[in-house]
């Protein structure tokens, strides 16, 4: 998966995003990170672009997600349909960790 990050802009692209289940799960995570984000999906490049107000996202608070991302990244890179459930489980784990991060911000 290719990631391009610049404050206020995140693009990730990979053919795996053509799977509607994986794409929708990934979009849910992006929306959790920044509900104000403008998110678009481009089928021709299998890419998601999120434009967001950079002052609304504390990137440092998202660091706990990195080990989970690194765990599912090889499954994404060498994707086969048999790995789909593992990838969706990894995304669910990211969502769970993100919920903890968000609830800690609120408290």
């Amino acid at each position: 998966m290719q990631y391009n990050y610049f404050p206020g802009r995140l693009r990730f692209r990979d053919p795996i995003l053509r799977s509607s289940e994986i794409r929708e799960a990934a979009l849910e995570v992006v929306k959790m990170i920044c509900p104000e984000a403008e998110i678009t999906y481009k089928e021709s490049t299998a890419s998601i672009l999120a434009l967001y107000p950079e002052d609304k996202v504390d990137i440092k608070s998202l660091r706990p997600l990195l080990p989970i991302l690194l765990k599912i990244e090889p499954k994404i890179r060498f994707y086969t349909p048999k790995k789909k459930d593992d990838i969706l489980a990894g995304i669910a784990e990211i969502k769970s960790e993100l919920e903890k991060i968000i609830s800690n911000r609120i408290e």
Side-chain angles (χ1 to χ4, degrees):
M1 182 164 287
Q2 177 185 352
Y3 300 92
N4 298 95
Y5 166 76
F6 188 78
R9 178 185 170 99
L10 172 66
R11 178 183 300 277
F12 47 107
R13 102 181 42 195
D14 194 278
I16 196 171
L17 294 172
R18 289 194 172 102
S19 162
S20 60
E21 283 181 272
I22 292 172
R23 181 177 62 249
E24 290 305 316
L27 288 172
E28 284 179 33
V29 170
V30 174
K31 290 174 188 172
M32 287 175 70
I33 292 171
C34 186
E36 296 91 353
E38 269 185 55
I39 303 168
T40 56
Y41 170 68
K42 191 171 182 180
E43 178 68 28
S44 63
T45 58
S47 67
I48 293 173
L49 172 64
L51 301 173
Y52 60 91
E54 70 179 274
D55 62 333
K56 299 286 185 180
V57 178
D58 177 15
I59 297 299
K60 290 179 183 177
S61 72
L62 301 176
R63 286 192 180 152
L65 303 177
L66 190 57
I68 305 167
L69 286 168
L70 291 174
K71 187 169 75 174
I72 65 172
E73 192 274 335
K75 293 176 176 100
I76 292 170
R77 188 171 356 127
F78 302 108
Y79 179 71
T80 64
K82 292 193 306 189
K83 296 178 183 176
K84 183 178 186 177
D85 289 337
D86 290 340
I87 293 167
L88 289 171
I91 294 171
E93 189 178 348
I94 289 170
K95 285 173 60 176
S96 175
E97 187 64 33
L98 192 53
E99 287 169 352
K100 293 177 195 172
I101 292 168
I102 292 168
S103 70
N104 285 338
R105 275 191 229 148
I106 294 170
E107 293 173 359

